[in-house]
Amino acid sequence: MYTTLIFFCLFLFPIASLVQCIRRGLNPYNGVLSGTIAVGFGSTAIFVMATLSGTSVGAEMEAAFESIFPSLLESMPGQEELIRNNIDILISGFPSTILLMGAVVSYVEYIILSKFVKNGDKGAWQMARLREFSWPRTGIYGWLLIFLLSWLVGLTGIPGGDLVLLNVQSIFEAAFALQGTSLLLMFFFMKKVPRGLGPALAIFAWLMPMGKSILFLLGVGDIMLGLRTRISQR
């Protein structure tokens, strides 16, 4: 039940923040950030409600996976340990997954809402192309501080510290992989690569652990070394 509520929150909670962003004429990416934060607060409230009721979202998900475990084992014979490890990772990383999905949903919902909601007599700001996206260079210090604090929490042995580190690490890697994706798309655009090939390669990279790591390194290099500026000057 609580997992279902979280998915309702995922799609419904960003709307109010996005509409307000459009009507105030704010940058679309501010709206995406506000929508993601709304999803974070909403899902956190549901996590707390589940805990106070004597259950947990993790236990609910574990029960759901157990119901389909025989089918998974039948499709992957002899891989019981691998399946259970992947299930544990999915459950442990569920909070960060919800936040990342919240960002994607907010991005898509802004594009849709901007066609219907107006900023007075003006039209809404159009969402900039992903190749034009870039984190502020000083933002890397904030991300590093968050990662360092979560790493220290994990070292203290506080209950749940490892889960905090796992989820923060997932968000940290995704943030810089997004920067790397933007750099990759800009490079393909400048090289006049056939339309559709760049996004297809970027999606493929996100689905592969090695590909996502490469995007992460590109993102860090872009912010730290100004790769975007160097490429554009050639």
Side-chain angles (χ1 to χ4, degrees):
M1 180 184 72
Y2 291 105
T3 308
T4 303
L5 287 176
I6 288 175
F7 280 103
F8 273 117
C9 160
L10 175 65
F11 289 98
L12 295 179
F13 274 45
I15 293 176
S17 298
L18 294 173
V19 170
Q20 185 180 22
C21 170
I22 293 172
R23 288 179 173 170
R24 292 175 60 188
L26 301 179
N27 186 297
Y29 284 113
N30 286 339
V32 172
L33 177 60
S34 299
T36 306
I37 291 173
V39 170
F41 277 115
S43 57
T44 299
I46 295 171
F47 275 110
V48 172
M49 286 171 52
T51 303
L52 293 177
S53 69
T55 183
S56 69
V57 174
E60 188 177 278
M61 292 180 64
E62 187 173 353
F65 278 119
E66 284 295 331
S67 66
I68 64 172
F69 183 78
S71 299
L72 294 174
L73 191 58
E74 185 177 341
S75 62
M76 300 176 62
Q79 300 296 323
E80 179 176 354
E81 184 176 354
L82 175 63
I83 295 172
R84 290 198 178 277
N85 287 340
N86 286 332
I87 289 175
D88 290 341
I89 292 173
L90 285 172
I91 294 174
S92 300
F94 186 61
S96 60
T97 300
I98 287 296
L99 283 179
L100 295 175
M101 291 176 65
V104 174
V105 169
S106 297
Y107 183 90
V108 174
E109 287 185 347
Y110 182 94
I111 294 174
I112 296 172
L113 290 171
S114 63
K115 299 181 184 300
F116 303 99
V117 181
K118 303 298 181 183
N119 174 22
D121 296 331
K122 304 176 182 177
W125 277 37
Q126 297 302 304
M127 180 68 72
R129 295 185 180 278
L130 185 56
R131 66 171 179 265
E132 300 169 2
F133 172 84
S134 180
W135 293 107
R137 190 170 185 179
T138 54
I140 191 172
Y141 301 115
W143 283 111
L144 288 173
L145 178 61
I146 293 172
F147 181 78
L148 177 61
L149 290 174
S150 63
W151 180 70
L152 291 175
V153 169
L155 287 180
T156 59
I158 296 175
D162 291 340
L163 293 180
V164 172
L165 178 59
L166 172 65
N167 284 278
V168 170
Q169 181 177 345
S170 297
I171 296 173
F172 181 82
E173 291 176 351
F176 287 98
L178 177 63
Q179 180 79 24
T181 303
S182 173
L183 177 66
L184 185 67
L185 293 177
M186 189 202 73
F187 176 78
F188 285 152
F189 176 75
M190 292 181 61
K191 297 300 181 181
K192 295 181 171 56
V193 173
R195 182 175 296 183
L197 180 59
L201 289 175
I203 292 172
F204 179 75
W206 272 85
L207 296 176
M208 304 296 292
M210 179 61 71
K212 191 174 178 181
S213 297
I214 292 173
L215 292 177
F216 170 81
L217 293 174
L218 285 174
V220 173
D222 186 20
I223 293 178
M224 297 294 291
L225 305 175
L227 297 180
R228 184 183 305 265
T229 302
R230 298 186 183 190
I231 292 174
S232 62
Q233 290 176 347
R234 291 186 177 181

